[in-house]
Amino acid sequence: MGKTISEKILSAHAGYAVKANDIAVVDVDLAYVQDGTGPLTVRQFKTMGFTAVPNASRRMIYLDHASPSPRRELSNDHKFLRDFARETGVILSEIGWGISHVVALEKYVNPGDVVVGADSHTCTGGALCAFATGMGSTDIAVAFGLGKTWLRCPETFKMRAEGRLPKGVYSKDLMLHFIGLIGAEGANYKAVEFSGSAIRALTMDARATMSNMAVECGAKVGLIGIDDVSLAWLKLHGRAPKQLPDLEPDRDAVYERVIEIDAEKLKPTLSCPHFVDNTRTIDDVERVRVDQVFLGTSTNGRIEDLRIAADILKGRTVKPGTRLIVTPGSREIYAQAAQEGLLQVFVDAGGVVTGPGCGACVGVHEGILGDGEVCVATQNRNFCGRMGNPNASIYLASPALAAATAIEGRIADPRDHVK
Amino acid sequence: MKLTGKAWKFGDGISTDHIAPGRLFHLRSNLPELAKHVLEDARADFAPNVKPGDFVVGGRNFGQGSSREHAPTIIKMAGVSAVLAKSVARIFYRNAINVGLPVIIMDTDRISEGDQIEVDLAEGVVLNRTQGTTHAIPPLPLTMRKILSDGGLVEHIKKHGGKLGLD
Ligand code: SF4
């Protein structure tokens, strides 16, 4: 019987043939935490009696959620994490260096790796065909201490998206459509393999958006096969693989479900409050007034996202009564956007550009919503209270839809704005 | 081990943002304080009134969202003896086992707010004393049973001399 991508990667890391539903102890290539989950990881690491971190150059601590720290308590958490990094040799990604998942794709994730992170969106690494998945703090403490974890090998759903995405429609819309189709727990405990001509046509940035949101339909990992696009990315970032592991799913691999999507038929899509699977196309959504537009995050804070938004905003202004916050995903992206003049476009339009990090996404700082306010955000979650206020509403959308909304001051159709 | 207490009902899709919201991010290293706000954004009356032994009874996809292990931890710290739900999000489920919080998957429509519940984990039954109904709990896979019976992942590692005892 043929193997899925997950079965291939987990077999290689267990040292024997692993098939769907087997539980295996596997070697971990990459493990990381962020500043929200890291302090508990370190405390658990110490409680379990670990002292050293083997393979520390493949373990990271990202200070990204509260970057820079807005409160004394969080400054102390940062201090605690910096001390641990110094003691153990774990790589410290300082404030302003960027969001864990964005930086991990830029610098560390390799095809065929097992990647575990104390952050649910660790699945972003699936865009480079790594078995990348989120876990809790204690699990990552064990991965730090032992270099191993246990995993149940998931059954796999195959998404096959064929055709070209229409103008004004992006991988974000494709992913929101998919989540709306199968539901927030539609792929709970499963792997998803994204395939088809519509996926192959996507850039790495656009692929990262898809894999990042795999967890929003419950999936453990969202895998995309390696091709010229991902190889070019790896080369550009100085880590072209000497030899690729076998990551092609076998022709006779067993899939629990195959979901076909006609990309040509897609429209700009939003997740409406307060659930990610509450999706509607722009044609079916009430064009409500919007207080805040937020462009950034591990979902859509990459250079291509900023370019798409800047293209729309160039020479235009944000509607009075609406505010625009732009938060680049990493230092590399921030520098690139500055060099290309994109940051200038956002500022000229009346927006504010913050330092790289998670920013407003998780409700810690830099864009907490007021009571009754409405936000259009490019992030991956719109749960009640997500952006720091349970009495506010969040719509999720593509960077293009967000930029169009900033101009019109109400939910807008990006197709009217894309040049 | 028998667990007894009353049922607190919650709807579908209770997220980790309901359980341990981002606006309280600064309390993550102060879990007793964070626990005072547990599930506050879903039901403000829960945290001040929950009694040791009580049950959190959810609907579908309980615990969806973030990997924050603080979520099951503070549910446990609030004295809750188990979470009962129709379905549970993957990471929350794994975290709950790691922190030693039992999670039981069952049709929770048959439980009403305030019902007196008794759970016998060893026997694998949920008894609803108010409604006079019983429900069998499907057994957990061996790996998870081992971790849960050791009292969570930290105790499991300690017990196995600093290793995973799952091979
Ligand atoms: S940007 Fe938002 S979703 Fe992404 S890692 Fe940061 S807090 Fe999580």
Side-chain angles (χ1 to χ4, degrees), chain B residues 5-6 13-14 24 36 39 41 44 61-62 65 67 77 88-89 92 94 110 125 129-130 143 154 162 164:
Chain B
K6 92 178 192 142
I14 292 296
L24 301 173
K36 289 183 190 161
L39 281 157
D41 289 349
N61 208 13
F62 188 91
S67 70
M77 285 177 79
V88 177
F92 182 90
R94 184 173 175 125
R110 295 195 276 165
V125 284
R129 288 216 169 274
T130 309
T143 307
V154 169
L164 277 169

Side-chain angles (χ1 to χ4, degrees), chain A residues 52-327:
Chain A
V53 179
N55 224 347
S57 64
R58 304 290 288 160
R59 313 284 179 250
M60 295 97 204
I61 294 172
Y62 293 93
L63 307 183
D64 56 1
H65 280 55
S67 157
S69 164
R71 297 182 67 116
R72 174 170 60 171
E73 297 91 333
L74 297 170
S75 307
N76 288 335
D77 280 345
H78 283 184
K79 193 162 172 267
F80 181 61
L81 291 171
R82 287 189 187 100
D83 287 346
F84 180 76
R86 201 176 314 112
E87 287 157 20
T88 56
V90 167
I91 292 175
L92 182 80
S93 185
E94 260 296 346
I95 57 152
W97 292 12
I99 306 166
S100 63
H101 318 302
V102 177
V103 179
L105 269 196
E106 287 169 354
K107 291 192 173 156
Y108 303 114
V109 175
N110 288 316
D113 277 358
V114 167
V115 181
V116 295
D119 191 287
S120 57
H121 295 104
T122 303
C123 52
T124 312
L128 279 176
C129 207
F131 191 95
T133 194
M135 296 179 171
S137 294
T138 308
D139 273 315
I140 304 306
V142 170
F144 272 17
L146 298 177
K148 285 181 189 296
T149 193
W150 68 270
L151 285 167
R152 193 193 70 99
C153 180
E155 299 82 9
T156 299
F157 286 9
K158 195 175 206 55
M159 179 230 257
R160 205 178 286 130
E162 302 290 352
R164 270 171 61 127
L165 290 170
K167 184 178 129 182
V169 177
Y170 304 87
S171 70
K172 180 64 161 284
D173 303 289
L174 169 57
M175 195 56 192
L176 293 180
H177 172 80
F178 178 69
I179 294 165
L181 197 68
I182 71 167
E185 59 170 347
N188 205 8
Y189 306 104
K190 312 296 179 189
V192 179
E193 287 180 14
F194 300 110
S195 67
S197 58
I199 303 295
R200 282 196 304 277
L202 298 176
T203 62
M204 267 315 293
D205 284 2
R207 292 177 185 194
T209 305
M210 311 263 325
S211 293
N212 174 269
M213 290 197 75
V215 65
E216 307 312 331
C217 56
K220 190 176 234 173
V221 58
L223 293 152
I224 299 178
I226 293 296
D227 61 6
D228 292 348
V229 172
S230 33
L231 286 174
W233 167 276
L234 288 164
K235 201 169 162 205
L236 181 73
H237 289 86
R239 47 183 212 286
K242 280 184 212 83
Q243 206 192 344
L244 267 183
D246 171 22
L247 296 169
E248 272 296 308
D250 291 331
R251 285 190 174 278
D252 56 344
V254 177
Y255 292 99
E256 186 169 314
R257 230 178 121 179
V258 178
I259 297 120
E260 313 265 0
I261 293 177
D262 183 350
E264 319 248 350
K265 291 219 175 76
L266 294 179
K267 292 177 177 168
T269 301
L270 300 99
S271 291
C272 302
H274 295 288
F275 294 102
V276 185
D277 60 356
N278 185 16
T279 57
R280 254 166 258 174
T281 71
I282 186 73
D283 298 341
D284 299 327
V285 124
E286 202 192 328
R287 308 292 183 93
V288 296
R289 214 188 65 73
V290 170
D291 301 286
Q292 176 168 307
V293 171
F294 175 47
L295 171 64
T297 79
S298 56
T299 319
N300 279 121
R302 296 185 178 78
I303 191 68
E304 179 178 280
D305 302 313
L306 302 188
R307 284 181 192 140
I308 290 167
D311 254 2
I312 291 172
L313 282 159
K314 191 161 187 152
R316 307 292 302 272
T317 50
V318 174
K319 185 90 169 178
T322 300
R323 52 189 188 268
L324 168 68
I325 302 171
V326 181
T327 302

